[in-house]
């Protein structure tokens, strides 16, 4: 038993899949961002622009480009938290590098709208690939 009550294992529930946002799932280097911008597929949404490129690592990775043009630090950080949460909940099963550029319209948006826009962008990528 943990301090906060019984754990999921003790309560007889099945363990959840690993939903953490691990360091190896982050895009960090500028050269990686530039490569994804240049060679990836650009998908525009209402709240964000998404760049997607298959990678050789076999695991999905996320990068968020919220520049100072987007707004003050508080607003940039909120946008990044929302995008990370959407990625964390809906990780692609194969190796994709995903770079999200938030738009100012994301400022007042609820998480459900951000999540829907993120999923729609990834869905448009999949449908374009199968249609092409």
């Amino acid at each position: 038993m943990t301090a906060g009550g019984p754990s999921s294992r003790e309560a007889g529930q099945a363990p959840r899949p690993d939903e953490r946002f691990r360091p190896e799932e982050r895009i960090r280097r500028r050269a990686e961002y530039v490569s994804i911008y240049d060679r990836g597929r650009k998908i525009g949404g209402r709240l964000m622009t998404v760049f997607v490129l298959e990678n050789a690592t076999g695991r999905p990775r996320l990068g968020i480009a919220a520049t100072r043009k987007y707004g003050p630090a508080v607003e940039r950080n909120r946008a990044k938290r929302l995008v990370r949460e959407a990625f964390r909940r809906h990780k692609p099963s194969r190796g994709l590098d995903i770079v999200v550029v938030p738009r100012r319209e994301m400022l007042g948006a609820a998480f459900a709208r951000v999540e829907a826009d993120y999923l729609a962008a990834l869905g448009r990528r999949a449908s374009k690939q199968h249609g092409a």
Side-chain angles (χ1 to χ4, degrees), residues 33 47-48 62-85 100-109 114:
Y33 278 91
L47 304 178
M48 65 188 81
L62 175 69
I64 305 167
T67 63
R68 277 184 269 176
K69 183 172 79 171
Y70 183 76
V74 171
E75 294 170 358
R76 293 193 309 267
N77 291 338
R78 179 175 186 273
K80 289 189 279 188
R81 280 195 307 272
L82 292 172
V83 171
R84 276 195 304 264
E85 183 66 11
V100 175
V101 181
R103 293 193 176 156
R104 297 227 17 112
E105 289 80 6
M106 190 185 290
L107 288 177
V114 173

Side-chain angles (χ1 to χ4, degrees), residues 41-50 52 103 116-132:
R41 180 180 298 271
K42 180 180 178 180
I43 305 156
R46 291 185 186 274
L47 304 178
M48 65 188 81
T49 301
V50 180
V52 182
R103 293 193 176 156
D117 200 51
Y118 172 79
L119 291 173
L122 292 183
R124 283 195 301 274
R125 180 211 177 263
S127 67
K128 281 184 181 181
Q129 232 182 10
H130 293 301

Side-chain angles (χ1 to χ4, degrees), residues 6-126:
S7 69
S8 62
R9 193 174 305 164
E10 293 169 351
Q13 298 172 355
R16 293 187 313 183
D18 186 14
E19 290 184 349
R20 290 179 286 187
F21 186 51
R22 298 184 168 278
E24 59 269 13
E25 295 174 334
R26 297 181 182 135
I27 300 169
R28 296 179 183 269
R29 294 184 178 88
R30 183 178 192 283
E32 293 174 321
Y33 278 91
V34 171
S35 173
I36 295 165
Y37 290 144
D38 291 343
R39 299 181 321 157
R41 180 180 298 271
K42 180 180 178 180
I43 305 156
R46 291 185 186 274
L47 304 178
M48 65 188 81
T49 301
V50 180
F51 293 84
V52 182
L53 180 67
E54 291 197 30
N55 67 34
T57 64
R59 69 176 48 180
R61 299 188 315 157
L62 175 69
I64 305 167
T67 63
R68 277 184 269 176
K69 183 172 79 171
Y70 183 76
V74 171
E75 294 170 358
R76 293 193 309 267
N77 291 338
R78 179 175 186 273
K80 289 189 279 188
R81 280 195 307 272
L82 292 172
V83 171
R84 276 195 304 264
E85 183 66 11
F87 174 81
R88 192 183 68 76
R89 289 187 183 187
H90 305 283
K91 286 183 187 173
S93 57
R94 61 182 199 273
L96 292 176
D97 285 343
I98 302 168
V99 173
V100 175
V101 181
R103 293 193 176 156
R104 297 227 17 112
E105 289 80 6
M106 190 185 290
L107 288 177
F111 174 71
R113 279 192 60 210
V114 173
E115 184 178 36
D117 200 51
Y118 172 79
L119 291 173
L122 292 183
R124 283 195 301 274
R125 180 211 177 263

